[in-house]
Amino acid sequence: MSTKTMQAFCYDRYGGGAAALKKVEIPVPVPKKGEILAKVEAVSVNPVDCRIQNGIMRPFLPKFPCVPLSDVAGEVVSVGAGVDNFKPGDKIVSLLTFTTGGGLAEYTVAPASQTAKRLPEVSAIEAASLPMAAGIAFKALEEVGSKFDGTGKPLNVLITAASGGVGQFAVQLAKHACLHVTATCGARNIDLVKSLGADEVLDYKTPEGESLKSPSGKKYDAIVHCTAGIAWSVFEKNLSKKGKVIDLTPGISSFITSALKKITLSKKQLVPFFSKIGSKDLEFLVGLVKDGKLKPVIDSIHPFNKAPEAWTKSMEGHATGKIIIEVAK
């Protein structure tokens, strides 16, 4: 076992919020077969990280003490057995196993199968914003038939919570796929969401926004649902005949509705969505950032020593874009 140590933040019980995050000195991990050891430069906070702390997977996960966060950008230090496509010194972006995390530390081990090289034109902060949020948005749009090479059908899509971490990427990727995009967000972010490419924007607090009705009267071929709290009945009346709702934050009601739609052979479907994001997906997203076709919206950047502030910011909700912790400059 390595005798070298590193600083990390961890928590050792469910709940407690930012106050439960404690800076500790722990051994630098050793990469196993198929893994790389990376020096972490930046890491982003996702809402699911706080939900895991609050016990969404209790009693199975996480294992305590838990070093959270899974979206990292950094530099390869060493590689485990069987890894031949990365070498020390490579700049990388990686999606760690989100249920076990490990990113809120000076060093982390990452699966090579969920790691991509980071191009020089893409900063660590930009790269750290991508894995889960942009990855999920990309895979959700693929699920509804979007093509990113100009060969896809001209679908009409609705993206809810479009100024959030996932939503901001979903809007940009949908436009890259030549889709017509209607989006919802709060009033303060309407101009931002329009600047990302949305064709129509609804203030979710207005009657029009609550109804989700397209200002142009279009029915949606797909709805990428990035938040919670909207009833199926609201979605259903706005869908085209074979429209789908891709629910990125599914709860029990989503699974029940999904099952009922299948049993009744409904042409309108609700899909509780989970996806596996791999190296090829990350390579594609990094390439879009390099080419200026995908621009991460960063809500705030926090130094490593103030990681609990970033955690609090995430727990409060309503972040505009991604919350980043800069571990090493």
Side-chain angles (χ1 to χ4, degrees):
M1 181 178 291
S2 174
T3 57
K4 185 177 180 181
T5 61
M6 65 178 183
Q7 291 188 331
F9 280 90
C10 72
Y11 56 85
D12 58 9
R13 66 183 190 279
Y14 289 113
L21 284 176
K22 304 299 182 185
K23 185 187 278 190
V24 295
E25 194 87 12
I26 59 176
V28 172
V30 176
K32 299 176 182 177
K33 183 177 181 180
E35 294 181 335
I36 65 173
L37 173 66
K39 181 178 181 181
V40 179
E41 295 176 357
V43 61
S44 67
V45 187
N46 293 296
V48 71
D49 298 312
C50 300
R51 291 200 288 269
I52 290 172
Q53 183 197 35
N54 287 336
I56 192 174
M57 296 184 177
R58 176 187 259 167
F60 307 105
L61 293 169
K63 293 182 179 179
F64 297 120
C66 173
V67 177
L69 305 189
S70 59
D71 290 9
V72 302
E75 182 176 309
V76 176
V77 175
S78 63
V79 300
V83 178
D84 55 13
N85 50 339
F86 296 99
K87 65 182 185 302
D90 284 345
K91 296 292 188 178
I92 54 93
V93 56
S94 185
L95 176 61
L96 311 183
T97 304
F98 82 92
T99 52
T100 54
L104 193 49
E106 292 179 304
Y107 295 87
T108 193
V109 286
S113 62
Q114 293 175 199
T115 300
K117 291 180 181 177
R118 191 176 94 232
L119 302 170
E121 298 87 350
V122 180
S123 71
I125 288 171
E126 289 174 319
S129 74
L130 296 174
M132 188 174 292
I136 288 174
F138 174 60
K139 302 301 276 189
L141 288 165
E142 277 193 329
E143 175 73 14
V144 300
S146 302
K147 303 290 185 182
F148 299 91
D149 58 2
T151 63
K153 296 179 180 179
L155 303 174
N156 296 317
V157 299
L158 169 69
I159 297 166
T160 63
S163 61
V166 177
Q168 53 125 344
F169 287 121
V171 171
Q172 295 181 72
L173 289 166
K175 292 309 298 178
H176 184 61
C178 302
L179 309 186
H180 182 279
V181 176
T182 304
T184 71
C185 65
R188 68 187 176 93
N189 289 319
I190 287 176
D191 288 341
L192 168 67
V193 173
K194 286 182 178 178
S195 74
L196 297 177
D199 299 287
E200 303 173 329
V201 184
L202 297 168
D203 177 354
Y204 77 94
K205 289 186 177 181
T206 64
E208 294 79 13
E210 290 178 354
S211 74
L212 302 182
K213 186 176 180 180
S214 166
S216 59
K218 297 178 184 294
K219 295 292 185 180
Y220 306 121
D221 300 302
I223 297 174
V224 179
H225 185 36
C226 306
T227 184
I230 300 176
W232 167 255
S233 59
V234 178
F235 290 133
E236 188 172 30
K237 64 187 178 184
N238 288 294
L239 288 171
S240 62
K241 290 182 179 180
K242 295 183 179 180
K244 285 184 179 180
V245 176
I246 309 300
D247 190 351
L248 305 186
T249 58
I252 293 175
S253 63
S254 293
F255 289 98
I256 293 173
T257 300
S258 177
L260 287 173
K261 294 292 119 182
K262 289 180 180 178
I263 291 170
T264 59
L265 303 179
S266 171
K267 292 182 179 180
K268 297 180 180 181
Q269 295 290 324
L270 187 150
V271 181
F273 192 69
F274 301 93
S275 65
K276 182 173 178 59
I277 299 158
S279 296
K280 293 295 184 184
D281 303 314
L282 294 176
E283 287 174 8
F284 177 73
L285 295 167
V286 168
L288 290 181
V289 175
K290 171 190 173 288
D291 294 339
K293 296 176 180 178
L294 187 65
K295 298 180 180 181
V297 176
I298 306 301
D299 177 274
S300 52
I301 301 171
H302 305 259
F304 183 58
N305 287 339
K306 295 186 178 181
E309 292 182 1
W311 199 266
T312 297
K313 178 84 172 174
S314 181
M315 292 191 71
E316 289 172 349
H318 303 293
T320 301
K322 294 292 296 179
I323 299 168
I324 304 292
I325 298 168
E326 196 169 27
V327 179
K329 292 185 179 180

Short mmCIF file of all heavy atoms in Angstrom, two decimals, residues 92-122:
data_model
loop_
_atom_site.label_atom_id
_atom_site.label_comp_id
_atom_site.label_asym_id
_atom_site.label_seq_id
_atom_site.Cartn_x
_atom_site.Cartn_y
_atom_site.Cartn_z
N ILE A 92 -6.52 14.71 -18.53
CA ILE A 92 -7.70 13.86 -18.74
C ILE A 92 -8.96 14.47 -18.10
O ILE A 92 -8.89 15.38 -17.27
CB ILE A 92 -7.48 12.45 -18.17
CG1 ILE A 92 -7.07 12.49 -16.68
CG2 ILE A 92 -6.43 11.70 -18.97
CD1 ILE A 92 -8.19 12.37 -15.69
N VAL A 93 -10.08 13.92 -18.52
CA VAL A 93 -11.36 14.18 -17.87
C VAL A 93 -11.98 12.81 -17.63
O VAL A 93 -11.87 11.91 -18.48
CB VAL A 93 -12.28 15.08 -18.72
CG1 VAL A 93 -12.51 14.49 -20.11
CG2 VAL A 93 -13.62 15.29 -18.02
N SER A 94 -12.63 12.63 -16.49
CA SER A 94 -13.12 11.29 -16.15
C SER A 94 -14.40 11.35 -15.35
O SER A 94 -14.65 12.29 -14.59
CB SER A 94 -12.05 10.53 -15.35
OG SER A 94 -12.45 9.20 -15.11
N LEU A 95 -15.21 10.32 -15.54
CA LEU A 95 -16.40 10.11 -14.72
C LEU A 95 -16.12 8.94 -13.80
O LEU A 95 -16.03 7.79 -14.23
CB LEU A 95 -17.62 9.82 -15.60
CG LEU A 95 -18.93 9.49 -14.86
CD1 LEU A 95 -19.35 10.66 -13.98
CD2 LEU A 95 -20.02 9.13 -15.85
N LEU A 96 -15.95 9.22 -12.51
CA LEU A 96 -15.75 8.17 -11.53
C LEU A 96 -17.08 7.46 -11.29
O LEU A 96 -18.13 7.93 -11.71
CB LEU A 96 -15.23 8.76 -10.22
CG LEU A 96 -14.03 9.72 -10.31
CD1 LEU A 96 -13.61 10.14 -8.91
CD2 LEU A 96 -12.88 9.10 -11.07
N THR A 97 -17.04 6.34 -10.61
CA THR A 97 -18.27 5.66 -10.25
C THR A 97 -19.02 6.54 -9.26
O THR A 97 -18.54 6.78 -8.15
CB THR A 97 -17.97 4.29 -9.61
OG1 THR A 97 -17.18 3.53 -10.52
CG2 THR A 97 -19.25 3.54 -9.31
N PHE A 98 -20.19 7.08 -9.67
CA PHE A 98 -20.82 8.14 -8.89
C PHE A 98 -21.29 7.65 -7.52
O PHE A 98 -21.43 8.44 -6.58
CB PHE A 98 -21.97 8.78 -9.66
CG PHE A 98 -23.28 8.04 -9.62
CD1 PHE A 98 -24.22 8.34 -8.65
CD2 PHE A 98 -23.56 7.05 -10.54
CE1 PHE A 98 -25.43 7.67 -8.61
CE2 PHE A 98 -24.76 6.38 -10.52
CZ PHE A 98 -25.71 6.68 -9.54
N THR A 99 -21.53 6.35 -7.38
CA THR A 99 -22.01 5.85 -6.09
C THR A 99 -20.90 5.78 -5.05
O THR A 99 -21.18 5.78 -3.85
CB THR A 99 -22.61 4.44 -6.27
OG1 THR A 99 -21.66 3.61 -6.95
CG2 THR A 99 -23.89 4.51 -7.07
N THR A 100 -19.66 5.73 -5.50
CA THR A 100 -18.55 5.67 -4.55
C THR A 100 -17.69 6.93 -4.56
O THR A 100 -16.97 7.20 -3.61
CB THR A 100 -17.65 4.45 -4.85
OG1 THR A 100 -17.25 4.51 -6.22
CG2 THR A 100 -18.42 3.16 -4.62
N GLY A 101 -17.78 7.71 -5.63
CA GLY A 101 -17.09 8.99 -5.68
C GLY A 101 -15.58 8.86 -5.63
O GLY A 101 -14.98 7.97 -6.23
N GLY A 102 -14.96 9.78 -4.87
CA GLY A 102 -13.51 9.80 -4.75
C GLY A 102 -12.86 11.03 -5.32
O GLY A 102 -11.64 11.19 -5.26
N GLY A 103 -13.66 11.95 -5.90
CA GLY A 103 -13.10 13.08 -6.62
C GLY A 103 -12.68 14.26 -5.77
O GLY A 103 -11.86 15.07 -6.21
N LEU A 104 -13.21 14.38 -4.56
CA LEU A 104 -12.92 15.57 -3.75
C LEU A 104 -11.64 15.34 -2.94
O LEU A 104 -11.63 15.28 -1.72
CB LEU A 104 -14.11 15.90 -2.84
CG LEU A 104 -14.10 17.28 -2.16
CD1 LEU A 104 -13.82 18.39 -3.15
CD2 LEU A 104 -15.41 17.53 -1.44
N ALA A 105 -10.56 15.22 -3.69
CA ALA A 105 -9.27 14.88 -3.10
C ALA A 105 -8.17 15.35 -4.04
O ALA A 105 -8.41 15.70 -5.19
CB ALA A 105 -9.17 13.37 -2.88
N GLU A 106 -6.93 15.35 -3.53
CA GLU A 106 -5.81 15.78 -4.36
C GLU A 106 -5.46 14.75 -5.44
O GLU A 106 -4.94 15.10 -6.49
CB GLU A 106 -4.59 16.04 -3.48
CG GLU A 106 -4.77 17.26 -2.58
CD GLU A 106 -3.56 17.50 -1.69
OE1 GLU A 106 -3.18 16.58 -0.94
OE2 GLU A 106 -3.00 18.61 -1.76
N TYR A 107 -5.77 13.48 -5.17
CA TYR A 107 -5.55 12.40 -6.13
C TYR A 107 -6.77 11.48 -6.12
O TYR A 107 -7.47 11.36 -5.11
CB TYR A 107 -4.30 11.57 -5.78
CG TYR A 107 -3.01 12.34 -5.86
CD1 TYR A 107 -2.54 13.06 -4.76
CD2 TYR A 107 -2.24 12.34 -7.02
CE1 TYR A 107 -1.35 13.78 -4.83
CE2 TYR A 107 -1.04 13.05 -7.10
CZ TYR A 107 -0.61 13.76 -6.00
OH TYR A 107 0.56 14.47 -6.08
N THR A 108 -7.01 10.83 -7.25
CA THR A 108 -8.11 9.87 -7.32
C THR A 108 -7.78 8.79 -8.32
O THR A 108 -6.92 8.98 -9.20
CB THR A 108 -9.43 10.57 -7.70
OG1 THR A 108 -10.53 9.67 -7.46
CG2 THR A 108 -9.44 10.99 -9.16
N VAL A 109 -8.44 7.64 -8.20
CA VAL A 109 -8.33 6.60 -9.22
C VAL A 109 -9.59 6.64 -10.07
O VAL A 109 -10.70 6.81 -9.55
CB VAL A 109 -8.12 5.20 -8.61
CG1 VAL A 109 -6.72 5.06 -8.07
CG2 VAL A 109 -9.15 4.89 -7.54
N ALA A 110 -9.40 6.50 -11.38
CA ALA A 110 -10.50 6.62 -12.32
C ALA A 110 -10.51 5.41 -13.26
O ALA A 110 -9.44 4.93 -13.65
CB ALA A 110 -10.36 7.90 -13.14
N PRO A 111 -11.69 4.93 -13.64
CA PRO A 111 -11.75 3.85 -14.62
C PRO A 111 -11.33 4.35 -15.99
O PRO A 111 -11.85 5.35 -16.49
CB PRO A 111 -13.23 3.44 -14.60
CG PRO A 111 -13.96 4.65 -14.11
CD PRO A 111 -13.03 5.35 -13.17
N ALA A 112 -10.40 3.66 -16.61
CA ALA A 112 -9.92 4.08 -17.94
C ALA A 112 -11.05 4.06 -18.96
O ALA A 112 -11.05 4.85 -19.91
CB ALA A 112 -8.78 3.17 -18.40
N SER A 113 -12.04 3.19 -18.75
CA SER A 113 -13.16 3.07 -19.69
C SER A 113 -14.10 4.26 -19.64
O SER A 113 -14.96 4.41 -20.51
CB SER A 113 -13.95 1.79 -19.40
OG SER A 113 -14.51 1.83 -18.10
N GLN A 114 -13.95 5.12 -18.62
CA GLN A 114 -14.78 6.31 -18.49
C GLN A 114 -13.91 7.56 -18.39
O GLN A 114 -14.25 8.52 -17.70
CB GLN A 114 -15.69 6.17 -17.26
CG GLN A 114 -16.72 5.08 -17.40
CD GLN A 114 -17.56 4.85 -16.16
OE1 GLN A 114 -18.18 3.80 -16.01
NE2 GLN A 114 -17.59 5.80 -15.23
N THR A 115 -12.80 7.51 -19.11
CA THR A 115 -11.84 8.60 -19.10
C THR A 115 -11.47 8.96 -20.53
O THR A 115 -11.36 8.08 -21.39
CB THR A 115 -10.57 8.20 -18.32
OG1 THR A 115 -10.93 7.88 -16.98
CG2 THR A 115 -9.54 9.32 -18.31
N ALA A 116 -11.29 10.24 -20.79
CA ALA A 116 -10.87 10.71 -22.11
C ALA A 116 -9.74 11.72 -21.95
O ALA A 116 -9.64 12.40 -20.92
CB ALA A 116 -12.04 11.35 -22.86
N LYS A 117 -8.90 11.82 -22.98
CA LYS A 117 -7.84 12.82 -22.95
C LYS A 117 -8.45 14.21 -23.13
O LYS A 117 -9.41 14.38 -23.86
CB LYS A 117 -6.82 12.53 -24.05
CG LYS A 117 -6.00 11.28 -23.78
CD LYS A 117 -4.98 11.00 -24.87
CE LYS A 117 -4.21 9.73 -24.56
NZ LYS A 117 -3.25 9.38 -25.64
N ARG A 118 -7.88 15.16 -22.41
CA ARG A 118 -8.36 16.54 -22.47
C ARG A 118 -7.45 17.33 -23.40
O ARG A 118 -6.24 17.38 -23.21
CB ARG A 118 -8.33 17.14 -21.06
CG ARG A 118 -9.03 18.46 -20.94
CD ARG A 118 -9.05 18.93 -19.51
NE ARG A 118 -7.95 19.81 -19.20
CZ ARG A 118 -7.12 19.63 -18.18
NH1 ARG A 118 -7.23 18.60 -17.39
NH2 ARG A 118 -6.14 20.50 -17.96
N LEU A 119 -8.06 17.91 -24.40
CA LEU A 119 -7.31 18.68 -25.38
C LEU A 119 -6.79 19.98 -24.75
O LEU A 119 -7.41 20.54 -23.84
CB LEU A 119 -8.19 18.99 -26.58
CG LEU A 119 -8.76 17.72 -27.27
CD1 LEU A 119 -9.81 18.12 -28.30
CD2 LEU A 119 -7.63 16.94 -27.92
N PRO A 120 -5.65 20.50 -25.23
CA PRO A 120 -5.04 21.70 -24.64
C PRO A 120 -5.97 22.91 -24.63
O PRO A 120 -5.87 23.77 -23.75
CB PRO A 120 -3.82 21.96 -25.54
CG PRO A 120 -3.51 20.63 -26.16
CD PRO A 120 -4.82 19.95 -26.33
N GLU A 121 -6.89 22.97 -25.61
CA GLU A 121 -7.79 24.12 -25.71
C GLU A 121 -8.91 24.10 -24.66
O GLU A 121 -9.65 25.07 -24.52
CB GLU A 121 -8.42 24.16 -27.10
CG GLU A 121 -7.43 24.34 -28.24
CD GLU A 121 -6.83 23.03 -28.74
OE1 GLU A 121 -7.04 21.98 -28.09
OE2 GLU A 121 -6.15 23.07 -29.78
N VAL A 122 -9.04 22.98 -23.95
CA VAL A 122 -10.13 22.82 -22.97
C VAL A 122 -9.54 22.87 -21.56
O VAL A 122 -8.68 22.06 -21.19
CB VAL A 122 -10.87 21.48 -23.19
CG1 VAL A 122 -11.99 21.32 -22.16
CG2 VAL A 122 -11.42 21.41 -24.61
#
